[in-house]
Amino acid sequence: MNMSEPTQFNTEVLRGELLHDEPMSRHVSWRAGGVAQHVYQPADLADMQTFLQQVPADEPLMAVGLGSNLLVRDGGFRGTVLLMVGALTELRMEDGLIYVQAGVPGAKLARFAASNNLCGAEFFVGIPGTLGGMLTMNAGCYGGETWGVVQRVQVLTRSGELIERTPQEYQIAYRQVALKQHSDEFFVGAWLKLAQGDVEAAKQEIKALMEKRSASQPLQMPNAGSVFRNPTGNHAAKLIEGCGLKGKRIGGAQVSEKHANFIVNAGGATAADIEELIGEVQVTVQKQTGINLHPEVRIVGEKVK
Ligand SMILES: Cc1cc2nc3c(=O)[nH]c(=O)nc-3n(C[C@H](O)[C@H](O)[C@H](O)COP(=O)(O)OP(=O)(O)OC[C@H]3O[C@@H](n4cnc5c(N)ncnc54)[C@H](O)[C@@H]3O)c2cc1C
């Protein structure tokens, strides 16, 4: 990737960590892919505001949580990545609501809710992403969805302005969220409203959900969870398995033998291997069933020329 004229940042006023040409394979759960030109992990919310004020308006900017739904192509991401995990980590009770910042992982949030005698957040335990990624994807499982418990969110605009928004300002659907009026913003926190519950029951539920996951998902190999959205009234995994694609391999990428909607990095996979296998699965399922599968995972960056 030709990293011509990289952006210059005034690091004297920043308290976070700025990295250059950082391999994104270190930050995504597939453990594959190219480099990002700049990666900034803010020290906290105020530091992220200061940083954003320095970023040129035309610089491509992307927030990354735990990278559990993300692939950066092998040619890299020409722009700046804002690393939320380990950065925006506040989690506390505030006027009967949970205030949680964007970098907090789902498992931590689920356990915090349970220990405060609140129920309805148990499902977060099995989603290996951050609150920011879960808000972006409307992540969910076993009947729960992220936006189902959101009272309001806190966002930062590209220019560093802090705003609160309500769920009514977003178009929220299955694994999709968009602001009704176009905008370029990052989720930095949310207030969650949960019902009072039984802490022991919530802890049991968390344990049961974890066991269910490890029985059905290939968690020992790098992956990004479900690759495709479930088509209405159908299951992507069932369709892929029905087309005989379990175990199908391109380079180091393989359709999981354990869960057909997972693609695993079976060793040394490139982003190109993974993307090619995604395409191969789509073409085969379309040919055999007439159904178009749409990726749930986000693919960004440039291909190697
Ligand atoms: C083993 C496994 C199991 C999974 N199970 C589930 C499941 O049951 N249900 C489910 O829904 N998903 C599941 N996933 C997918 C994934 O965990 C979710 O999509 C999760 O919400 C992604 O969070 P993240 O922090 O990793 O986001 P990332 O992968 O880092 O980012 C995903 C997208 O969100 C954007 N983004 C991230 N943070 C912010 C922010 N603060 N502001 C604005 N945009 C942001 C990124 O730019 C990117 O476009 C699974 C993944 C794995 C690996």
Side-chain angles (χ1 to χ4, degrees), residues 145-185:
E145 270 189 349
T146 304
W147 283 83
V149 295
V150 170
Q151 202 235 29
R152 61 191 204 279
V153 292
Q154 197 179 32
V155 299
L156 271 187
T157 65
R158 256 196 88 107
S159 54
E161 191 190 351
L162 190 60
I163 301 176
E164 283 183 23
R165 294 196 183 280
T166 63
Q168 291 70 35
E169 292 176 73
Y170 296 88
Q171 270 160 339
I172 299 162
Y174 166 63
R175 303 292 173 269
Q176 275 173 303
V177 179
L179 195 56
K180 283 182 183 161
Q181 289 191 325
H182 177 74
S183 184
D184 203 356
E185 299 177 348

Short mmCIF file of all heavy atoms in Angstrom, two decimals, residues 145-185:
data_model
loop_
_atom_site.label_atom_id
_atom_site.label_comp_id
_atom_site.label_asym_id
_atom_site.label_seq_id
_atom_site.Cartn_x
_atom_site.Cartn_y
_atom_site.Cartn_z
N GLU A 145 -31.83 -8.25 21.58
CA GLU A 145 -31.16 -7.38 20.62
C GLU A 145 -30.65 -6.15 21.34
O GLU A 145 -31.32 -5.62 22.23
CB GLU A 145 -32.13 -6.91 19.53
CG GLU A 145 -32.19 -7.82 18.34
CD GLU A 145 -33.00 -7.23 17.19
OE1 GLU A 145 -33.69 -6.21 17.39
OE2 GLU A 145 -32.93 -7.79 16.10
N THR A 146 -29.47 -5.66 20.92
CA THR A 146 -28.84 -4.54 21.62
C THR A 146 -29.80 -3.35 21.80
O THR A 146 -29.98 -2.84 22.92
CB THR A 146 -27.58 -4.08 20.85
OG1 THR A 146 -26.73 -5.21 20.70
CG2 THR A 146 -26.85 -2.97 21.59
N TRP A 147 -30.44 -2.94 20.69
CA TRP A 147 -31.28 -1.73 20.78
C TRP A 147 -32.54 -1.95 21.59
O TRP A 147 -33.22 -0.97 21.96
CB TRP A 147 -31.56 -1.17 19.39
CG TRP A 147 -30.36 -0.42 18.87
CD1 TRP A 147 -29.27 -0.98 18.25
CD2 TRP A 147 -30.08 0.98 19.00
NE1 TRP A 147 -28.34 0.00 17.97
CE2 TRP A 147 -28.81 1.20 18.40
CE3 TRP A 147 -30.77 2.07 19.53
CZ2 TRP A 147 -28.23 2.47 18.34
CZ3 TRP A 147 -30.18 3.34 19.46
CH2 TRP A 147 -28.93 3.52 18.88
N GLY A 148 -32.85 -3.21 21.89
CA GLY A 148 -34.03 -3.51 22.71
C GLY A 148 -33.89 -3.00 24.14
O GLY A 148 -34.88 -2.85 24.85
N VAL A 149 -32.65 -2.71 24.59
CA VAL A 149 -32.46 -2.25 25.97
C VAL A 149 -31.87 -0.83 26.05
O VAL A 149 -31.53 -0.36 27.12
CB VAL A 149 -31.58 -3.24 26.78
CG1 VAL A 149 -32.27 -4.59 26.93
CG2 VAL A 149 -30.20 -3.42 26.13
N VAL A 150 -31.77 -0.18 24.89
CA VAL A 150 -31.15 1.16 24.88
C VAL A 150 -32.18 2.24 25.20
O VAL A 150 -33.22 2.32 24.57
CB VAL A 150 -30.51 1.44 23.49
CG1 VAL A 150 -30.08 2.91 23.38
CG2 VAL A 150 -29.33 0.53 23.26
N GLN A 151 -31.85 3.10 26.19
CA GLN A 151 -32.73 4.23 26.46
C GLN A 151 -32.28 5.44 25.66
O GLN A 151 -33.07 6.13 25.05
CB GLN A 151 -32.71 4.54 27.96
CG GLN A 151 -33.92 5.32 28.40
CD GLN A 151 -33.52 6.61 29.10
OE1 GLN A 151 -32.48 7.21 28.84
NE2 GLN A 151 -34.38 7.03 30.01
N ARG A 152 -30.96 5.69 25.63
CA ARG A 152 -30.40 6.72 24.76
C ARG A 152 -28.90 6.46 24.56
O ARG A 152 -28.30 5.71 25.33
CB ARG A 152 -30.66 8.13 25.30
CG ARG A 152 -30.08 8.43 26.65
CD ARG A 152 -30.65 9.76 27.16
NE ARG A 152 -29.77 10.39 28.13
CZ ARG A 152 -29.72 10.05 29.42
NH1 ARG A 152 -30.48 9.08 29.90
NH2 ARG A 152 -28.89 10.68 30.24
N VAL A 153 -28.37 7.04 23.49
CA VAL A 153 -26.94 6.84 23.21
C VAL A 153 -26.22 8.18 23.21
O VAL A 153 -26.83 9.24 23.09
CB VAL A 153 -26.70 6.13 21.85
CG1 VAL A 153 -27.18 4.70 21.88
CG2 VAL A 153 -27.32 6.90 20.69
N GLN A 154 -24.90 8.05 23.31
CA GLN A 154 -24.03 9.21 23.30
C GLN A 154 -23.10 9.03 22.10
O GLN A 154 -22.50 7.95 21.95
CB GLN A 154 -23.24 9.14 24.60
CG GLN A 154 -22.55 10.35 25.06
CD GLN A 154 -21.85 10.05 26.39
OE1 GLN A 154 -21.39 8.94 26.64
NE2 GLN A 154 -21.73 11.06 27.22
N VAL A 155 -23.03 10.05 21.25
CA VAL A 155 -22.17 9.92 20.06
C VAL A 155 -21.21 11.10 19.98
O VAL A 155 -21.48 12.17 20.54
CB VAL A 155 -23.00 9.84 18.75
CG1 VAL A 155 -23.92 8.65 18.74
CG2 VAL A 155 -23.78 11.13 18.50
N LEU A 156 -20.11 10.89 19.28
CA LEU A 156 -19.19 11.98 18.96
C LEU A 156 -19.25 12.18 17.46
O LEU A 156 -19.18 11.22 16.69
CB LEU A 156 -17.75 11.63 19.32
CG LEU A 156 -17.23 11.94 20.72
CD1 LEU A 156 -15.73 11.64 20.77
CD2 LEU A 156 -17.47 13.38 21.11
N THR A 157 -19.38 13.44 17.04
CA THR A 157 -19.33 13.72 15.61
C THR A 157 -17.86 13.71 15.19
O THR A 157 -16.97 13.73 16.02
CB THR A 157 -19.91 15.11 15.30
OG1 THR A 157 -19.06 16.08 15.92
CG2 THR A 157 -21.33 15.25 15.82
N ARG A 158 -17.66 13.72 13.90
CA ARG A 158 -16.29 13.76 13.36
C ARG A 158 -15.49 14.93 13.87
O ARG A 158 -14.28 14.89 14.01
CB ARG A 158 -16.36 13.88 11.83
CG ARG A 158 -16.08 12.63 11.10
CD ARG A 158 -15.80 12.99 9.67
NE ARG A 158 -14.39 13.29 9.51
CZ ARG A 158 -13.51 12.51 8.90
NH1 ARG A 158 -13.91 11.39 8.35
NH2 ARG A 158 -12.24 12.84 8.80
N SER A 159 -16.20 16.03 14.15
CA SER A 159 -15.45 17.22 14.62
C SER A 159 -15.30 17.22 16.14
O SER A 159 -14.81 18.19 16.72
CB SER A 159 -16.14 18.49 14.13
OG SER A 159 -17.48 18.46 14.54
N GLY A 160 -15.76 16.16 16.81
CA GLY A 160 -15.53 16.03 18.24
C GLY A 160 -16.65 16.56 19.12
O GLY A 160 -16.49 16.70 20.33
N GLU A 161 -17.82 16.83 18.51
CA GLU A 161 -18.95 17.33 19.31
C GLU A 161 -19.69 16.15 19.95
O GLU A 161 -19.96 15.15 19.28
CB GLU A 161 -19.91 18.11 18.39
CG GLU A 161 -20.95 18.89 19.14
CD GLU A 161 -22.03 19.45 18.20
OE1 GLU A 161 -21.86 19.37 16.96
OE2 GLU A 161 -23.04 19.94 18.72
N LEU A 162 -20.00 16.29 21.25
CA LEU A 162 -20.67 15.21 21.98
C LEU A 162 -22.19 15.45 21.96
O LEU A 162 -22.67 16.51 22.35
CB LEU A 162 -20.16 15.22 23.43
CG LEU A 162 -20.54 14.05 24.33
CD1 LEU A 162 -20.02 12.73 23.79
CD2 LEU A 162 -20.00 14.29 25.75
N ILE A 163 -22.94 14.43 21.49
CA ILE A 163 -24.40 14.58 21.34
C ILE A 163 -25.08 13.36 21.95
O ILE A 163 -24.55 12.25 21.89
CB ILE A 163 -24.79 14.64 19.83
CG1 ILE A 163 -24.12 15.82 19.14
CG2 ILE A 163 -26.29 14.73 19.65
CD1 ILE A 163 -24.38 15.86 17.64
N GLU A 164 -26.29 13.56 22.51
CA GLU A 164 -27.11 12.42 22.94
C GLU A 164 -28.23 12.22 21.93
O GLU A 164 -28.80 13.20 21.45
CB GLU A 164 -27.71 12.70 24.32
CG GLU A 164 -26.69 12.52 25.42
CD GLU A 164 -27.29 12.72 26.81
OE1 GLU A 164 -28.51 12.57 26.98
OE2 GLU A 164 -26.50 13.04 27.70
N ARG A 165 -28.53 10.96 21.63
CA ARG A 165 -29.61 10.66 20.70
C ARG A 165 -30.51 9.56 21.27
O ARG A 165 -30.06 8.74 22.06
CB ARG A 165 -29.05 10.17 19.35
CG ARG A 165 -28.27 11.22 18.59
CD ARG A 165 -28.11 10.80 17.13
NE ARG A 165 -27.30 11.76 16.39
CZ ARG A 165 -27.74 12.91 15.91
NH1 ARG A 165 -29.00 13.26 16.07
NH2 ARG A 165 -26.93 13.71 15.24
N THR A 166 -31.76 9.55 20.81
CA THR A 166 -32.71 8.53 21.25
C THR A 166 -32.82 7.45 20.17
O THR A 166 -32.52 7.72 19.00
CB THR A 166 -34.11 9.13 21.47
OG1 THR A 166 -34.57 9.62 20.20
CG2 THR A 166 -34.09 10.25 22.49
N PRO A 167 -33.30 6.25 20.53
CA PRO A 167 -33.47 5.20 19.51
C PRO A 167 -34.38 5.64 18.36
O PRO A 167 -34.21 5.18 17.23
CB PRO A 167 -34.11 4.05 20.30
CG PRO A 167 -33.65 4.27 21.71
CD PRO A 167 -33.58 5.75 21.89
N GLN A 168 -35.31 6.56 18.64
CA GLN A 168 -36.24 7.00 17.59
C GLN A 168 -35.52 7.70 16.45
O GLN A 168 -36.07 7.84 15.35
CB GLN A 168 -37.31 7.96 18.17
CG GLN A 168 -38.32 7.31 19.11
CD GLN A 168 -37.71 6.90 20.46
OE1 GLN A 168 -36.82 7.57 20.99
NE2 GLN A 168 -38.16 5.77 20.98
N GLU A 169 -34.31 8.15 16.69
CA GLU A 169 -33.57 8.85 15.63
C GLU A 169 -32.88 7.89 14.67
O GLU A 169 -32.26 8.32 13.70
CB GLU A 169 -32.54 9.79 16.25
CG GLU A 169 -33.20 10.95 16.99
CD GLU A 169 -32.17 11.83 17.70
OE1 GLU A 169 -31.47 12.57 17.02
OE2 GLU A 169 -32.07 11.72 18.94
N TYR A 170 -32.99 6.57 14.96
CA TYR A 170 -32.31 5.58 14.12
C TYR A 170 -33.32 4.65 13.45
O TYR A 170 -34.40 4.40 14.00
CB TYR A 170 -31.36 4.72 14.96
CG TYR A 170 -30.22 5.51 15.56
CD1 TYR A 170 -30.36 6.15 16.79
CD2 TYR A 170 -29.01 5.65 14.88
CE1 TYR A 170 -29.32 6.89 17.34
CE2 TYR A 170 -27.96 6.38 15.42
CZ TYR A 170 -28.13 7.00 16.65
OH TYR A 170 -27.10 7.74 17.18
N GLN A 171 -32.94 4.15 12.27
CA GLN A 171 -33.71 3.07 11.64
C GLN A 171 -33.05 1.79 12.10
O GLN A 171 -31.92 1.49 11.70
CB GLN A 171 -33.63 3.19 10.13
CG GLN A 171 -34.74 4.05 9.59
CD GLN A 171 -34.44 4.57 8.21
OE1 GLN A 171 -33.29 4.63 7.78
NE2 GLN A 171 -35.48 4.97 7.52
N ILE A 172 -33.77 1.05 12.94
CA ILE A 172 -33.17 -0.13 13.57
C ILE A 172 -33.84 -1.38 13.01
O ILE A 172 -35.06 -1.50 13.04
CB ILE A 172 -33.36 -0.05 15.11
CG1 ILE A 172 -32.64 1.21 15.63
CG2 ILE A 172 -32.82 -1.30 15.79
CD1 ILE A 172 -33.07 1.65 17.01
N ALA A 173 -33.00 -2.28 12.49
CA ALA A 173 -33.55 -3.53 11.94
C ALA A 173 -32.63 -4.67 12.33
O ALA A 173 -31.67 -4.48 13.08
CB ALA A 173 -33.66 -3.41 10.43
N TYR A 174 -32.92 -5.84 11.79
CA TYR A 174 -32.11 -7.03 12.07
C TYR A 174 -30.67 -6.81 11.59
O TYR A 174 -30.43 -6.66 10.40
CB TYR A 174 -32.77 -8.23 11.37
CG TYR A 174 -31.90 -9.47 11.27
CD1 TYR A 174 -31.46 -10.13 12.40
CD2 TYR A 174 -31.56 -9.98 10.02
CE1 TYR A 174 -30.66 -11.26 12.29
CE2 TYR A 174 -30.78 -11.12 9.90
CZ TYR A 174 -30.33 -11.75 11.04
OH TYR A 174 -29.55 -12.87 10.92
N ARG A 175 -29.74 -6.75 12.53
CA ARG A 175 -28.30 -6.55 12.28
C ARG A 175 -28.01 -5.31 11.44
O ARG A 175 -27.03 -5.26 10.68
CB ARG A 175 -27.68 -7.78 11.59
CG ARG A 175 -27.86 -9.07 12.34
CD ARG A 175 -27.09 -9.15 13.64
NE ARG A 175 -27.48 -10.35 14.33
CZ ARG A 175 -28.48 -10.39 15.22
NH1 ARG A 175 -29.15 -9.30 15.57
NH2 ARG A 175 -28.80 -11.52 15.79
N GLN A 176 -28.88 -4.30 11.55
CA GLN A 176 -28.68 -3.07 10.78
C GLN A 176 -29.16 -1.87 11.57
O GLN A 176 -30.26 -1.93 12.15
CB GLN A 176 -29.50 -3.11 9.50
CG GLN A 176 -28.83 -3.82 8.36
CD GLN A 176 -29.77 -3.97 7.20
OE1 GLN A 176 -30.85 -4.54 7.35
NE2 GLN A 176 -29.39 -3.45 6.06
N VAL A 177 -28.39 -0.81 11.55
CA VAL A 177 -28.78 0.42 12.24
C VAL A 177 -28.32 1.60 11.39
O VAL A 177 -27.19 1.62 10.92
CB VAL A 177 -28.09 0.53 13.62
CG1 VAL A 177 -28.47 1.83 14.32
CG2 VAL A 177 -28.46 -0.65 14.50
N ALA A 178 -29.20 2.57 11.17
CA ALA A 178 -28.77 3.77 10.44
C ALA A 178 -29.46 4.98 11.05
O ALA A 178 -30.62 4.90 11.47
CB ALA A 178 -29.14 3.65 8.97
N LEU A 179 -28.73 6.07 11.09
CA LEU A 179 -29.32 7.31 11.56
C LEU A 179 -30.30 7.76 10.47
O LEU A 179 -30.00 7.67 9.29
CB LEU A 179 -28.21 8.35 11.76
CG LEU A 179 -28.54 9.58 12.56
CD1 LEU A 179 -29.07 9.23 13.95
CD2 LEU A 179 -27.29 10.45 12.69
N LYS A 180 -31.51 8.21 10.89
CA LYS A 180 -32.52 8.56 9.89
C LYS A 180 -32.01 9.66 8.96
O LYS A 180 -32.26 9.64 7.77
CB LYS A 180 -33.82 8.96 10.57
CG LYS A 180 -34.57 7.73 11.07
CD LYS A 180 -35.88 8.07 11.70
CE LYS A 180 -36.54 6.80 12.24
NZ LYS A 180 -37.56 7.08 13.24
N GLN A 181 -31.29 10.63 9.55
CA GLN A 181 -30.69 11.65 8.69
C GLN A 181 -29.20 11.37 8.64
O GLN A 181 -28.57 11.17 9.66
CB GLN A 181 -30.97 13.02 9.26
CG GLN A 181 -32.43 13.35 9.08
CD GLN A 181 -32.71 14.79 9.38
OE1 GLN A 181 -32.09 15.38 10.26
NE2 GLN A 181 -33.65 15.35 8.66
N HIS A 182 -28.66 11.36 7.43
CA HIS A 182 -27.27 10.96 7.23
C HIS A 182 -26.32 11.72 8.16
O HIS A 182 -26.43 12.92 8.33
CB HIS A 182 -26.86 11.17 5.78
CG HIS A 182 -25.44 10.84 5.55
ND1 HIS A 182 -25.01 9.55 5.52
CD2 HIS A 182 -24.36 11.62 5.40
CE1 HIS A 182 -23.70 9.54 5.33
NE2 HIS A 182 -23.29 10.79 5.25
N SER A 183 -25.40 10.98 8.73
CA SER A 183 -24.41 11.64 9.57
C SER A 183 -23.18 10.75 9.74
O SER A 183 -23.22 9.56 9.49
CB SER A 183 -25.01 11.94 10.93
OG SER A 183 -24.08 12.64 11.68
N ASP A 184 -22.11 11.37 10.16
CA ASP A 184 -20.84 10.69 10.31
C ASP A 184 -20.47 10.76 11.80
O ASP A 184 -19.89 11.75 12.23
CB ASP A 184 -19.83 11.47 9.46
CG ASP A 184 -18.65 10.61 9.07
OD1 ASP A 184 -18.59 9.46 9.51
OD2 ASP A 184 -17.79 11.11 8.32
N GLU A 185 -20.89 9.77 12.56
CA GLU A 185 -20.73 9.84 14.02
C GLU A 185 -20.22 8.50 14.57
O GLU A 185 -20.39 7.46 13.94
CB GLU A 185 -22.08 10.14 14.68
CG GLU A 185 -22.67 11.45 14.25
CD GLU A 185 -24.05 11.70 14.85
OE1 GLU A 185 -24.66 10.77 15.43
OE2 GLU A 185 -24.52 12.82 14.70
#
